[in-house]
Amino acid sequence: MKIVFATNNAHKLSEVSAVLGPDYELVTLREVGITEDIPETGATLDENASLKARYVYERTGLDCFADDTGLEVEALNGAPGVRSARYATEGHDFAANNRKLLAELEGKSNRSARFRTVISLIRGGVEHRVEGIVRGMIATSEAGCGGFGYDPLFIPEGHDCTFAEMSAEAKNAISHRGRAVAELVKVLGR
Ligand code: IMP
């Protein structure tokens, strides 16, 4: 099955295609001629996922899906949440975001957090939404060089290393995005 995934993020693309497997051929934004940044002006992850998927559907008429992910930290009342990409600066500066997160949590004993991914799928013009969550803790310093974003700081529940220290397969098996994609497969298989 051919389907547009509303991203140009190579990490996301490889994570999602690994979980979806060979039955699905993912088409990127660039491949359908969408080169501009899609506005992510929603107040929630759900809204942003929908905005992105609808944007692609309106321009291409093709079946498509978009994801939006946030890191929700308990001691920060759910921040950075929907602002995860632009936490420290307006750019997508992963290193600055991680530095800011460590600074905000300095001296705080509650380091519980969760990643949440919302996927909006538009198939045959009908929208479906699924989500995936992984709970864990924010480490006191960065570790590992795999993955992207907040991975060097996120220790998933039941593990003693960060996502950035895990193989891509191990991360996908338990991650927010892996779980959301597993739900997506259930909808696509209906
Ligand atoms: P997006 O809106 O789905 O691109 O995600 C927003 C931000 O959340 C990204 O810029 C990353 O900083 C962070 N993020 C999303 N997914 C992950 C992940 O799997 N690991 C670590 N950080 C992530």
Side-chain angles (χ1 to χ4, degrees):
M1 184 188 298
K2 212 167 172 171
I3 188 159
V4 181
F5 178 23
T7 192
N8 281 322
N9 176 326
H11 280 288
K12 277 191 187 178
L13 192 66
S14 76
E15 285 187 10
V16 171
S17 42
V19 179
L20 280 176
D23 292 346
Y24 297 89
E25 186 189 336
L26 293 183
V27 180
T28 63
L29 289 177
R30 231 172 263 123
E31 288 168 318
V32 293
I34 298 177
T35 49
E36 67 277 20
D37 276 341
I38 302 178
E40 293 186 35
T41 50
T44 62
L45 299 176
D46 292 65
E47 277 177 36
N48 277 340
S50 280
L51 278 174
K52 285 190 268 186
R54 287 182 194 157
Y55 187 99
V56 174
Y57 183 69
E58 277 161 20
R59 275 153 189 80
T60 65
L62 299 170
D63 288 349
C64 58
F65 66 93
D67 78 321
D68 202 37
T69 295
L71 175 67
E72 300 171 337
V73 180
E74 211 170 85
L76 304 178
N77 300 316
V82 72
R83 290 201 44 84
S84 292
R86 288 154 283 127
Y87 187 40
T89 68
E90 278 309 306
H92 294 233
D93 187 338
F94 295 150
N97 286 342
N98 285 342
R99 278 197 302 275
K100 177 166 177 180
L101 182 58
L102 284 177
E104 295 285 336
L105 284 178
E106 186 139 7
K108 292 201 164 48
S109 53
N110 179 4
R111 304 186 75 91
S112 299
R114 65 180 197 175
F115 271 117
R116 193 159 70 90
T117 292
V118 176
I119 294 180
S120 164
L121 163 73
I122 300 184
R123 191 167 62 151
V126 179
E127 183 175 2
H128 307 260
R129 240 187 257 150
V130 294
E131 74 168 16
I133 289 175
V134 60
R135 292 176 206 287
M137 307 278 284
I138 303 301
T140 50
S141 61
E142 293 187 35
C145 50
F148 68 103
Y150 298 95
D151 280 348
L153 286 178
F154 187 82
I155 303 173
E157 211 167 63
H159 294 259
D160 54 13
C161 63
T162 69
F163 265 161
E165 293 177 289
M166 296 169 77
S167 67
E169 295 72 33
K171 178 186 171 188
N172 279 340
I174 57 165
S175 81
H176 44 301
R177 193 168 298 100
R179 287 173 175 164
V181 174
E183 294 301 311
L184 177 70
V185 170
K186 289 184 197 164
V187 178
L188 288 169
R190 272 189 214 148

